[in-house]
Amino acid sequence: MKRLRYVFFLVWIICLVAGRGSISYADDADEPHIAAQSAILIEASTGRVIWEKQADDRHYPASMTKIMTALLGLDIISPHTEIFISPEAAATEDCPLGIRAGDCLTAEELLTGMMMVSDNGAAVAVAEQIDGSTAEFARRMNEKAQELGMEHTHFSNPNGLTDPNHYSTARDMARLAKYAMENPSFRRMVSQRERVIRWTLPRNGHLLVLNTNKLLGSYGGTTGIKTGWTSAAGGCLAASARRNGVELIAVLMQTSGPEERFTDAEKMLSYGFSHVRMVRGMAKEKISRRVWVKGGTQASTWLHPVSDIDYPLIHGEDPGKYSLRYDIPRVMTAPIRKGEVAGRILICYEGQPVGSVDMTADSVSQGFSIASWLVQLFEGLLVRL
């Protein structure tokens, strides 16, 4: 009898374990099965990770690199600045715009064409316009990457042509894509399915271009952003879409064929939309934090979030378990540019950071004021408060 009970007990344990295993497999089956070697899916406003696959593995980013090039171009060059195409830019491998040495386009036209059809020569022309050479521009790219917290990224050129010292990860590229899509000019640029690009020289030069991002017009709600492909990198894609108040960004790297990146992105985005909903938090107008300023014409400035604080809930989560923490400096040094990122709001679930929203500062000119001098004098005390 005892043996019989023991046998029944073992059978019960085995069935229980098997039952749990079947539930786990069902959950796994719900996840997107993709061909890309590395991928990540995030909620766009907070950067919260919804799903990932080997997201910290290093790969060539190919033309997703141009996201950084476009951001720096938009930040530094006036959209009406005329950019002349150098012989070096014109001779760059793969220039679907057909630019030639001596051609001239405004920065807006050149950047838009670069992003829509992934023109490598256009990226060289932008780099030369800003820093005189691609090598100097790459230094600027890497400085910006460090500022954004892209810890496993190094850029060697502005276009993503293969170089052993030019690499990134899906997680880092998602961080870059999130930041880029907060720029209204960038967002408009990458959301266009087709556009006529116009030359300044030769006069009346123009070309109708179609965006290489095939999700635009085929996957509902697609908002951007950038494709990439080389034989070494395989297929790469950063793709964003918005549905029912939720915007997601999918980044994937190293597919064996160029079409797989689009089917992979569709699977990832659809998975995210079926599992994520946004809960209204606080309007950005209702949030501000004051920080002290030394070396300025005034002794303090205000930080404001770049967007409303909404909470992405992954299926089954409790909105009451969200909280906010402020990661901001006590003291800043003038000059401070208006819109300069100076801190962030950490969005936490059950006390653990799951996303963030940048905070930007109001401007303060460099100069002297008694109050700002006192801030510098008592900085050590203020930092400890």
Side-chain angles (χ1 to χ4, degrees):
M1 233 4 228
K2 286 184 179 178
R3 287 183 179 176
L4 191 57
R5 282 191 209 140
Y6 181 68
V7 170
F8 278 130
F9 179 72
L10 283 177
V11 171
W12 178 76
I13 290 292
I14 291 169
C15 289
L16 182 62
V17 172
R20 286 178 179 170
S22 66
I23 291 172
S24 175
Y25 293 143
D27 289 344
D28 290 344
D30 189 37
E31 294 186 3
H33 294 279
I34 63 172
Q37 292 184 20
S38 180
I40 194 168
L41 177 68
I42 66 170
E43 191 278 316
S45 67
T46 64
R48 182 172 185 187
V49 177
I50 300 163
W51 181 84
E52 63 183 273
K53 173 187 176 182
Q54 299 176 346
D56 295 311
D57 288 0
R58 184 185 292 182
H59 294 283
Y60 295 123
S63 285
M64 290 193 299
T65 299
K66 297 186 180 83
I67 298 172
M68 178 66 83
T69 302
L71 280 173
L72 293 172
L74 289 169
D75 187 46
I76 297 170
I77 310 173
S78 165
H80 304 297
T81 297
E82 295 182 338
I83 299 178
F84 285 88
I85 306 302
S86 70
E88 291 77 15
T92 304
E93 176 186 347
D94 197 6
C95 293
L97 284 175
I99 52 176
R100 299 179 180 180
D103 284 3
C104 180
L105 299 87
T106 64
E108 181 179 6
E109 296 293 312
L110 189 63
L111 287 168
T112 301
M114 177 189 78
M115 292 301 288
M116 291 186 68
V117 297
S118 207
D119 191 289
N120 291 327
V124 171
V126 171
E128 292 174 337
Q129 176 71 24
I130 294 174
D131 284 313
S133 71
T134 57
E136 287 299 317
F137 186 72
R139 291 191 182 94
R140 185 186 297 273
M141 296 171 76
N142 289 318
E143 288 174 0
K144 188 67 175 181
Q146 289 182 353
E147 178 187 321
L148 296 178
M150 299 171 68
E151 298 178 354
H152 304 290
T153 295
H154 187 270
F155 295 117
S156 295
N157 60 61
N159 46 37
L161 288 174
T162 304
D163 184 301
N165 291 316
H166 190 97
Y167 54 81
S168 189
T169 67
R171 193 182 309 278
D172 277 2
M173 294 307 297
R175 190 184 298 271
L176 176 61
K178 173 187 180 299
Y179 178 79
M181 291 299 280
E182 292 168 358
N183 183 313
S185 297
F186 181 94
R187 180 179 281 270
R188 284 194 299 271
M189 184 182 297
V190 298
S191 66
Q192 300 172 88
R193 188 178 178 187
E194 63 178 44
R195 160 83 181 267
V196 175
I197 303 299
R198 301 189 182 279
W199 274 245
T200 302
L201 290 174
R203 289 191 176 185
N204 301 319
H206 64 277
L207 179 69
L208 174 65
V209 299
L210 301 178
N211 201 313
T212 57
N213 183 358
K214 293 183 179 180
L215 295 184
L216 288 165
S218 68
Y219 185 81
T222 298
T223 52
I225 66 173
K226 187 68 190 78
T227 59
W229 168 263
T230 67
S231 57
C236 301
L237 178 64
S240 61
R242 176 184 290 276
R243 292 182 182 179
N244 301 319
V246 177
E247 185 166 35
L248 305 177
I249 295 174
V251 174
L252 51 98
M253 304 179 79
Q254 200 81 46
T255 64
S256 58
E259 296 304 316
E260 290 173 328
R261 53 190 168 164
F262 300 115
T263 55
D264 277 359
E266 288 185 4
K267 292 176 184 178
M268 292 169 63
L269 291 167
S270 295
Y271 171 82
F273 287 127
S274 68
H275 286 78
V276 180
R277 68 183 179 92
M278 299 300 290
V279 173
R280 184 67 173 168
M282 298 178 65
K284 62 181 181 180
E285 293 79 13
K286 295 183 178 181
I287 304 173
S288 61
R289 285 294 184 272
R290 187 177 185 177
V291 298
W292 300 108
V293 176
K294 64 179 180 179
T297 55
Q298 61 192 59
S300 66
T301 188
W302 291 92
L303 305 187
H304 312 275
V306 298
S307 65
D308 296 338
I309 310 299
D310 295 331
Y311 306 117
L313 292 180
I314 300 175
H315 184 67
E317 290 183 336
D318 178 2
K321 294 182 178 180
Y322 269 102
S323 60
L324 301 179
R325 294 208 310 259
Y326 292 87
D327 180 16
I328 59 176
R330 295 279 187 174
V331 178
M332 297 182 64
T333 302
I336 301 169
R337 294 183 296 113
K338 183 175 180 59
E340 177 181 335
V341 175
R344 57 181 180 160
I345 299 174
L346 296 176
I347 300 171
C348 303
Y349 187 79
E350 294 185 327
Q352 298 300 312
V354 295
S356 64
V357 173
D358 287 338
M359 299 192 78
T360 58
D362 293 335
S363 63
V364 178
S365 299
Q366 188 175 20
F368 177 80
S369 68
I370 293 294
S372 187
W373 175 77
L374 289 171
V375 169
Q376 184 166 347
L377 185 63
F378 294 103
E379 180 179 2
L381 178 61
L382 291 171
V383 168
R384 290 194 297 270
L385 287 177

